[in-house]
Amino acid sequence: MTKKVTVLGSTGSIGTQSLDVIRAQEYSVFGLAAHSNVELLLRQVQEFHPHCIAVVDDAAADRAARELHGMPGAPVLLRGKEGLEELAAMDGSDIVLNAVVGIAGLAATLSAIKSGRDVALANKESLVTGGSLVTDAVRENNVKLLPVDSEHSAIFQCLQDEYSAKSLQKILLTASGGPFFGRTRQELQNVTKDDALRHPNWSMGSKITIDSATLMNKGLELIEAVWLFGLPAEQVQVVVQRQSIIHSMVQFSDNSILAQLGVPDMRIPIQYALTGLAPCAANGANEEAVRLFLEGRIPFLKIGELVEGVVDSEAFGGPYTLDDVYACDAAARAYVLAHVS
Ligand code: NDP
Ligand code: MG
């Protein structure tokens, strides 16, 4: 029986590459979801014939409904954030690949896991903002959480046998350093959107490309690694590997190192608390600040200043619920907007 896959964020960089893999493997597509790129989504519908699609943006969902009207074998159309969650939970797919960008992916990740679906996770923001909610749900529902982020996939691959996993001592998370590696703060003062979007090694969505230029991406990935592999942050070391050949490495208790080679990403040392909601606040502030930078409303260096400002502005701690995550995310975004003239 062929594997049935649901791809959330199918119109993005990871989403379209996932469909390349699905095409090559001759898997079938159960569901597809996008925010507003209806044109591409409908081309994907025509090629992959999913059972169901979700369109998050309201006006785009109206457009999709008009286009699907009368189409023979048209998929079920779900709308809005609720539609995305409903699709993620739907019976019929073997695995949900979450390639949505930003915190918008969190609820769908939880929804898929809670309905007993295995999740292939590109949306690192799910773990950064709601780490314990996601890992608890994985445990309670006994599903698989498979990392898609290249570094985490490399680490995961290095830990496939039980003996290795047990004697894991350290993760060496590789980073290319991004387009601005080696530049001083002074030299970064007036970098433009185009400069920051010109990543040396990868063609990715604009948000993660900016995260790579600020090195926030490696901070998010450090937190992601902590949640995925259960090591404290001190045992995850970011290593710059400019050639982008080593994807990541793991070190065992006998000090031997296993590496996985491939084409990589960047780095950042975010070391704040892994309990509580500081990573969620940093993530919300970062999403908002990257948007403002891409709109030409703040300079490049302001992104880091705003994220730092949010994290320093409050004490975070204690267990949290999904509502707390959203409240924290909203407060961080409000902070950014209030600090931009
Ligand atoms: P893109 O911006 O290329 O694609 C984002 C996708 O998410 C699109 O399908 C978009 O739909 C959809 N989307 C946007 N906003 C929402 C929303 N509010 N609700 C539902 N769907 C939404 O991003 P990438 O593919 O680059 O990144 C996706 C995730 O994968 C991120 O978490 C990123 O960190 C991670 N990742 C990406 C890598 C890469 O190489 N690109 C590498 C490692 C991790 P639409 O097109 O309609 O707007
Ligand atoms: Mg990565």
Side-chain angles (χ1 to χ4, degrees), residues 11-209:
T11 51
S13 162
I14 292 286
T16 51
Q17 294 177 78
S18 304
L19 290 175
D20 289 343
V21 173
I22 287 169
R23 189 185 294 112
Q25 297 291 331
E26 300 183 2
Y27 290 159
S28 78
V29 172
F30 179 81
L32 296 172
H35 180 259
S36 46
N37 189 346
V38 170
E39 291 67 31
L40 179 54
L41 183 64
L42 291 182
R43 284 206 299 280
Q44 295 175 343
V45 164
Q46 275 161 354
E47 178 179 355
F48 293 98
H49 309 290
H51 167 72
C52 181
I53 63 171
V55 178
V56 173
D57 179 73
D58 224 31
D62 288 342
R63 249 186 356 262
R66 278 196 301 276
E67 298 280 340
L68 290 174
H69 187 73
M71 182 194 279
V76 175
L77 171 66
L78 301 172
R79 317 166 64 103
K81 286 191 286 201
E82 300 73 21
L84 186 75
E85 287 175 55
E86 194 182 328
L87 174 59
M90 232 179 220
D91 271 343
S93 75
D94 299 311
I95 187 160
V96 174
L97 193 150
N98 188 349
V100 168
V101 62
I103 194 174
L106 171 62
T109 296
L110 289 172
S111 171
I113 295 169
K114 287 178 181 171
S115 66
R117 245 134 281 290
D118 290 340
V119 173
L121 192 66
N123 180 259
K124 62 188 82 178
E125 295 90 343
S126 286
L127 282 168
V128 173
T129 62
S132 68
L133 300 177
V134 174
T135 53
D136 287 353
V138 165
R139 242 189 327 275
E140 282 158 19
N141 294 279
N142 197 23
V143 298
K144 293 199 192 79
L145 184 65
L146 304 154
V148 172
D149 210 344
S150 55
E151 295 78 357
H152 305 76
S153 171
I155 297 160
F156 188 77
Q157 289 173 51
C158 289
L159 295 174
Q160 276 314 293
D161 73 279
E162 209 177 311
Y163 174 75
S164 302
K166 270 192 195 136
S167 61
L168 175 67
Q169 194 179 49
K170 193 172 177 181
I171 286 170
L172 301 162
L173 193 67
T174 52
S176 78
F180 301 142
F181 182 75
R183 297 218 205 157
T184 63
R185 274 189 80 76
Q186 183 71 17
E187 289 166 335
L188 292 177
Q189 215 82 259
N190 297 313
V191 293
T192 64
K193 182 170 101 174
D194 287 347
D195 296 332
L197 285 174
R198 209 172 295 124
H199 192 274
N201 307 324
W202 283 110
S203 162
M204 308 180 284
S206 54
K207 196 264 177 176
I208 185 177
T209 306

Side-chain angles (χ1 to χ4, degrees), residues 142-314:
N142 197 23
V143 298
K144 293 199 192 79
L145 184 65
L146 304 154
V148 172
D149 210 344
S150 55
E151 295 78 357
H152 305 76
S153 171
I155 297 160
F156 188 77
Q157 289 173 51
C158 289
L159 295 174
Q160 276 314 293
D161 73 279
E162 209 177 311
Y163 174 75
S164 302
K166 270 192 195 136
S167 61
L168 175 67
Q169 194 179 49
K170 193 172 177 181
I171 286 170
L172 301 162
L173 193 67
T174 52
S176 78
F180 301 142
F181 182 75
R183 297 218 205 157
T184 63
R185 274 189 80 76
Q186 183 71 17
E187 289 166 335
L188 292 177
Q189 215 82 259
N190 297 313
V191 293
T192 64
K193 182 170 101 174
D194 287 347
D195 296 332
L197 285 174
R198 209 172 295 124
H199 192 274
N201 307 324
W202 283 110
S203 162
M204 308 180 284
S206 54
K207 196 264 177 176
I208 185 177
T209 306
I210 302 300
D211 285 343
S212 299
T214 58
L215 300 185
M216 185 71 180
N217 185 50
K218 209 48 59 177
L220 300 178
E221 291 190 351
L222 187 147
I223 299 167
E224 185 185 10
V226 166
W227 284 115
L228 279 171
F229 304 109
L231 279 191
E234 305 76 59
Q235 281 167 261
V236 183
Q237 185 183 339
V238 175
V239 184
V240 174
Q241 214 270 317
R242 285 297 282 161
Q243 292 76 12
S244 297
I245 292 170
I246 302 176
H247 247 311
S248 270
M249 298 175 272
V250 293
Q251 187 171 327
F252 300 111
S253 47
D254 63 358
N255 288 330
S256 62
I257 291 178
L258 205 58
Q260 197 254 8
L261 310 190
V263 200
D265 265 30
M266 0 283 130
R267 159 228 225 213
I268 193 190
I270 293 186
Q271 295 166 344
Y272 37 73
L274 291 163
T275 53
L277 286 164
C280 173
N283 183 77
N286 184 54
E287 282 188 32
E288 206 60 30
V290 168
R291 185 179 64 78
L292 293 170
F293 173 70
L294 287 173
E295 287 172 5
R297 292 167 59 191
I298 57 170
F300 181 73
L301 290 176
K302 190 81 182 167
I303 301 175
E305 286 168 24
L306 287 167
V307 173
E308 198 176 349
V310 164
V311 173
D312 289 346
S313 69
E314 269 192 66

